[in-house]
Amino acid sequence: MTNKYIEIEMLPTACGIGGSFSAKASFCLDNFKAPFYDIEVKIDTGCSISTIPLKRLKVSDNLCETLKKIDVVNGVPYFLSYGIESGGLRHEVPVTDVEKIECPAMKFEHGISDFMIGGVKISSDKICLNYDRKGNVLIGMDILKDWDIRIGVSKVTGKSLFLACPMENECREYIKALEMHFGIS
């Protein structure tokens, strides 16, 4: 099913304070033959560069190790991302191929196609892959910067709601949802 905008209710944390916005995604990656369907992704405005940790997708340790070695040897563009689990500590930048293969902070830029989040076609054709981590698939500001996004309490449901529409999709349905849930016209 194709949608023009995303509407997600916030999933509360177990303790009831805060929560997160998750959706299902599907996509094809340039280094895999098989497509991925119904993959849970988290919307994360604090994430600069969207990242797919392949181990989260149940890709085997051996395949992840092989794919990472291929990316290192082929000089695939990468970013270093230490994330919250590193406690903000400074790290040495890996220089040699061995250091790069051992560094869990590397995420490599790959092509993505047939990319949909919550039934909405995403125009982004690049995403980063991490071969070492098992954390959440994060949709960050490299993708979200091109969307109109509203977060608030719905006047209809009384629940926290994320409404978003890629700017290229601006449509009457999204405008109606903004009016209905948030009184924005």
Side-chain angles (χ1 to χ4, degrees), residues 65-179:
E65 185 179 320
T66 299
L67 291 171
K68 185 173 184 179
K69 285 178 182 175
I70 290 169
D71 282 1
V72 168
V73 168
N74 289 335
V76 172
Y78 66 89
F79 300 92
L80 294 176
S81 174
Y82 292 98
I84 195 163
E85 71 278 0
S86 67
L89 301 173
R90 294 186 56 83
H91 299 274
E92 296 296 320
V93 175
V95 177
T96 67
D97 285 357
V98 171
E99 289 172 341
K100 290 176 182 177
I101 289 167
E102 291 176 357
C103 179
M106 296 185 77
K107 55 185 179 184
F108 296 86
E109 189 176 69
H110 277 273
I112 190 168
S113 58
D114 300 325
F115 192 11
M116 296 186 83
I117 299 173
V120 175
K121 185 165 177 36
I122 307 301
S123 61
S124 180
D125 62 352
K126 299 280 185 203
I127 199 150
C128 285
L129 305 180
N130 178 284
Y131 299 108
D132 298 292
R133 295 186 178 156
K134 296 178 181 177
N136 294 311
V137 177
L138 300 177
I139 303 303
M141 291 307 297
D142 57 323
I143 292 173
L144 299 174
K145 69 179 174 42
D146 298 322
W147 294 13
D148 184 76
I149 298 171
R150 307 299 164 115
I151 300 172
V153 175
S154 169
K155 292 176 7 180
V156 176
T157 66
K159 296 184 178 186
S160 293
L161 191 66
F162 175 91
L163 285 178
C165 182
M167 288 185 205
E168 63 198 38
N169 289 4
E170 287 274 352
C171 62
R172 284 184 288 155
E173 296 90 346
Y174 177 62
I175 301 302
K176 285 181 183 177
L178 288 173
E179 287 178 26

Side-chain angles (χ1 to χ4, degrees), residues 47-59:
C47 172
S48 299
I49 301 170
S50 299
T51 304
I52 299 173
L54 285 177
K55 289 185 179 183
R56 179 69 172 214
L57 306 184
K58 308 288 189 235
V59 175

